[in-house]
Amino acid sequence: MVSRADRGPLAEWLWTVDHYLLAAFVLLAIGGVVLSFAASPPVAERLGVESFYFVKRQAIFLLPALAMMIGLSLMSPRMIRRAALLILIGSLALMVATLFLGVEVKGGRRWINLGFTTLQPSEFLKPAFVVIVAFLLSESGRRREVPGALFSALIFAVAAMLLIAQPDFGQTMLLALAWGALFFINGLPWIAIIALAVVGLVGMSSAYFLLPHVTSRVNRFLDPESGDTFQVDTAREAFLSGGWFGKGPGEGIVKRILPDSHTDFVFSVVAEEFGIIVCMLMVVLFSFIVLRGLRNAARDQDAFSRLATSGLVITFGLQATINLMVNLNLLPAKGMTLPFISYGGSSLFSTALTAGFILALSRRKPRPVHSESVTISRVSPSSLMQPGIR
């Protein structure tokens, strides 16, 4: 048992970290490994590796990911800013390298082969980008001479161009939504909000007309007869066949025929084998993390921590929402993972990075004490002997 009188770093962390958020993140991370037992064996068999290949790798990735999350949550806001800056620079440099040295999978060049695994730099870009933009906007609010909005726009433009070049329109859209949310929370005038919305619509329209893979996915979503919709149709049928309570662990069919059942469509496997009730509990857990994070941000007196925490939990929630809506055929297929649940080392570590940043920035901070000026008159020893004075 750690005493409140202990002033060591670990003791201070234990008394200031949000225990509910920490428990929710750990529960999701462990749930990802447990659910990989249900979703990944058929995929491993199709690829010619042992049945629990993906399960073992996810479990191996889990321990250092949780250690990284805890380690980051011990940091101060200043240390978080410095770490985010290094990660942002490194991610952008690796994304440039990916265009020339990256591994091409399904028409996208987003991964760098490290030998023992592959790395997707754009996954680590998201939390670092949010933290740095939050810092720039908070500094511009504190010091008017700092062009925070301009610098953040330049960083977003560079990141978006690299993402589109891969191509990865889903991550580009997620980054744009996070960037717009930060401006909105920072108190952007309505005219500027409308201008950003117009720019967003122009960008999405341009992507539809200029990027063939975006055109194909949108057309298949709007008109299923125009192309192959096997994955989304099969995923939707999994919810219907699973019902409220599911078919039972190992009894699902969708994981045997969907190539991405352990990554993009793991939620459909959960629906078929464990039922809609378990899916609803997962949604509640994701919602709790977002609402709890926004609550902590709203109570924070520091502008940077407030903006960064809000942006991080919004990004976390948006990524989960997009994945769930794709599984339910409410959005065109995006190739976006479900945080902590989908298989993937880059996805798991980037989500742990996001969670560590959120835990660090939302830790309880000492409130400033407003001391009242009290005038104490000098009392002589003899006056204490007078009647009426205690």
Side-chain angles (χ1 to χ4, degrees), residues 28-351:
L28 275 180
I30 295 174
V33 175
V34 173
L35 293 174
S36 67
F37 276 96
S40 65
V43 180
E45 292 171 6
R46 287 198 299 268
L47 296 176
V49 295
E50 62 169 319
S51 297
F52 296 106
Y53 173 80
F54 293 111
V55 178
K56 292 177 181 178
R57 289 177 67 85
Q58 189 79 348
I60 291 172
F61 290 145
L62 176 64
L63 294 179
L66 289 179
M68 183 180 72
M69 181 182 75
I70 300 299
L72 288 169
S73 68
L74 289 163
M75 292 184 175
S76 66
R78 176 178 293 181
M79 295 171 67
I80 291 294
R81 289 196 296 266
R82 292 176 178 175
L85 180 60
L86 293 176
I87 294 170
L88 178 68
I89 295 172
S91 298
L92 291 174
L94 288 174
M95 287 172 67
V96 174
T98 302
L99 300 177
F100 303 97
L101 307 174
V103 179
E104 185 171 340
V105 179
K106 297 181 181 180
R109 195 178 290 273
R110 307 168 191 171
W111 298 268
I112 293 179
N113 190 354
L114 301 179
F116 61 96
T117 188
T118 56
L119 178 71
Q120 187 176 355
S122 59
E123 286 285 350
F124 300 90
L125 171 72
K126 293 177 294 186
F129 171 82
V130 169
V131 171
I132 295 304
V133 170
F135 171 67
L136 290 171
L137 293 180
S138 62
E139 281 297 296
S140 65
R142 192 168 63 91
R143 296 184 295 172
R144 294 298 179 185
E145 68 273 14
V146 177
L150 176 61
F151 286 160
S152 67
L154 291 175
I155 295 172
F156 171 73
V158 172
M161 286 189 293
L162 290 173
L163 285 170
I164 293 173
Q166 290 186 348
D168 193 344
F169 185 71
Q171 298 278 25
T172 307
M173 187 177 72
L174 179 61
L175 208 66
L177 290 172
W179 184 60
L182 284 170
F183 271 86
F184 182 80
I185 295 171
N186 196 47
L188 196 66
W190 279 107
I191 186 66
I193 294 174
I194 295 172
L196 279 179
V198 171
V199 171
L201 289 174
V202 171
M204 288 189 289
S205 301
S206 301
Y208 175 76
F209 290 109
L210 299 177
L211 301 176
H213 71 285
V214 176
T215 306
S216 174
R217 289 185 177 184
V218 174
N219 287 344
R220 280 180 290 169
F221 174 74
L222 297 175
D223 182 15
E225 301 297 328
S226 63
D228 180 20
T229 58
F230 172 75
Q231 289 213 101
V232 292
D233 290 342
T234 306
R236 183 177 54 187
E237 290 171 4
F239 288 87
L240 300 175
S241 62
W244 287 101
F245 303 102
K247 292 182 174 181
E251 300 299 323
I253 299 174
V254 64
K255 64 186 179 184
R256 304 186 185 280
I257 56 179
L258 278 183
D260 297 323
S261 61
H262 62 317
T263 54
D264 301 347
F265 291 95
V266 66
F267 191 63
S268 299
V269 178
V270 176
E272 187 178 29
E273 298 197 1
F274 300 96
I276 295 175
I277 290 180
V278 173
C279 290
M280 292 173 66
L281 291 176
M282 287 179 61
V283 172
V284 168
L285 190 54
F286 280 112
S287 302
F288 169 79
I289 290 173
V290 174
L291 294 176
R292 181 82 178 183
L294 291 175
R295 165 192 171 272
N296 291 344
R299 295 182 175 186
D300 205 315
Q301 299 297 316
D302 180 58
F304 162 69
S305 296
R306 182 169 60 250
L307 273 175
T309 305
S310 300
L312 288 167
V313 295
I314 287 173
T315 305
F316 180 89
L318 282 173
Q319 179 168 337
T321 301
I322 291 171
N323 178 277
L324 300 181
M325 293 182 73
V326 168
N327 276 258
L328 293 168
N329 199 22
L330 297 176
L331 277 179
K334 291 278 186 294
M336 196 167 293
T337 57
L338 187 60
F340 277 130
I341 302 298
S342 296
Y343 168 79
S346 294
S347 175
L348 180 60
F349 278 104
S350 71
T351 308

Side-chain angles (χ1 to χ4, degrees), residues 351-364:
T351 308
L353 181 67
T354 301
F357 282 171
I358 292 172
L359 290 170
L361 294 170
S362 62
R363 283 169 55 187
R364 290 192 298 274

